[in-house]
Amino acid sequence: MRIDIITVLPELLESPFQHSILKRAQTKGLVEIHLHPLRDYSTNKHRTVDDYSYGGGAGMVMCIEPIAKCIDKLKSERTYDEIIYMSPDGEMLDQKMSNQLSTLKNIIILCGHYKGVDERVREHLVTREISIGNYVLSGGELAAAVVCDSIIRLLPGVLNDETSALFDSFQDGMIAPPAYTRPADFNGWKVPDVLLSGNEKEIDKWRHEKALERTKQRRPDLL
Ligand code: SAH
């Protein structure tokens, strides 16, 4: 999979991709991430990429020209399955969407800033808009990192234990059961006996019951 991210703040996105699972995925050649500083596509000598809002009002708007230039260049090099704009009023990201996105080959993610992008970018250049929640961030970079993380960990071969992503919350319409590790007794707070029993069938049954109980308690909307 290849992910191209268009941003005015590439520095903000460097660290998230340089550690742990996301780094390993790149080292293993399972995903390629390319950051494109939008200012490199600016059409003026001051390298600006935003301008005042027509009709007045507070806040700058990101211009269409540099965004179009960058997207055109990328599209001339390969075919993209989706051109995504991160936006608080987009489709809400969930596990189902991450699963679907993880099957794609090439995607572009456009990060907004300021008041967002010129509406014509949304009308003509992007194919999809994604929100990570009902709150407003100052830029699309952190949201893009969230989307990428949720997708990349699903790519076959990224997680060491191939099956572990399957048992995460939301994958089977339920949230994950509780997990414990050593010590079995901490200050008298004990790990449930069944988990120490070695009886796989009983353990699976217990985990399923707990997952169901938790989902009923915390996220009845999923059932
Ligand atoms: N004025 C806009 C918000 C702009 S916030 C509005 O009211 O809708 C600046 C940029 O941050 C956006 O262009 C978008 O790319 C990003 N952003 C902010 N909140 C986000 C969210 N919840 N999900 C995804 N991207 C978000």
Side-chain angles (χ1 to χ4, degrees):
M1 180 175 202
R2 175 181 169 121
I3 306 176
D4 290 277
I5 306 179
I6 305 174
T7 164
V8 284
L9 281 174
E11 304 81 10
L12 248 184
L13 279 170
E14 276 160 17
S15 176
F17 296 119
Q18 276 170 16
H19 306 277
S20 182
I21 290 169
L22 300 195
K23 180 181 178 182
R24 202 165 64 223
Q26 293 171 85
T27 315
K28 283 185 175 172
L30 300 169
V31 68
E32 265 182 51
I33 295 162
H34 297 268
L35 303 179
H36 303 279
L38 189 60
R39 283 182 208 289
D40 292 354
Y41 297 86
S42 170
T43 44
N44 64 57
K45 66 173 191 292
H46 304 292
R47 287 169 48 90
T48 56
V49 290
D50 58 333
D51 210 330
Y52 295 100
S53 181
Y54 273 127
M60 303 296 276
V61 179
M62 287 171 73
C63 302
I64 190 167
E65 293 109 319
I67 296 171
K69 219 164 127 187
C70 183
I71 291 177
D72 281 350
K73 176 178 173 274
L74 292 172
K75 279 170 77 175
S76 73
E77 293 163 354
R78 68 197 62 76
T79 310
Y80 285 92
D81 302 301
E82 294 280 16
I83 302 176
I84 297 166
Y85 173 52
M86 299 310 307
S87 182
D89 60 3
E91 277 174 87
M92 193 78 76
L93 180 71
D94 62 10
Q95 191 62 43
K96 198 170 148 215
M97 194 194 292
S98 300
N99 289 345
Q100 192 261 329
L101 292 172
S102 75
T103 64
L104 303 180
K105 193 157 173 271
N106 300 317
I107 62 173
I108 293 175
I109 303 182
L110 169 63
C111 305
H113 253 273
Y114 322 114
K115 257 176 96 69
V117 296
D118 185 306
E119 188 64 19
R120 290 166 293 181
V121 170
R122 306 179 65 171
E123 286 169 358
H124 304 289
L125 303 182
V126 305
T127 59
R128 194 161 188 176
E129 301 187 330
I130 299 179
S131 164
I132 64 159
N134 288 333
Y135 40 81
V136 176
L137 303 165
S138 44
E141 285 73 17
L142 299 180
V146 168
V147 170
C148 290
D149 186 316
S150 77
I151 298 174
I152 293 168
R153 63 194 299 284
L154 295 171
L155 299 176
V158 169
L159 296 184
N160 280 337
D161 176 356
E162 284 277 14
T163 56
S164 76
L166 297 176
F167 295 106
D168 283 336
S169 291
F170 309 114
Q171 278 299 13
D172 51 4
M174 287 203 278
I175 52 178
Y180 300 85
T181 185
R182 282 181 284 189
D185 184 338
F186 177 75
N187 288 346
W189 302 333
K190 295 206 174 81
V191 171
D193 286 338
V194 58
L195 295 179
L196 311 175
S197 69
N199 184 334
E200 259 181 62
K201 222 172 128 199
E202 283 302 308
I203 293 172
D204 282 350
K205 191 167 150 248
W206 181 88
R207 285 189 172 143
H208 182 76
E209 279 165 14
K210 286 287 168 193
L212 196 61
E213 192 181 303
R214 283 210 156 176
T215 311
K216 273 187 193 148
Q217 258 170 18
R218 298 176 186 213
R219 294 298 306 273
D221 58 300
L222 295 175
L223 292 171

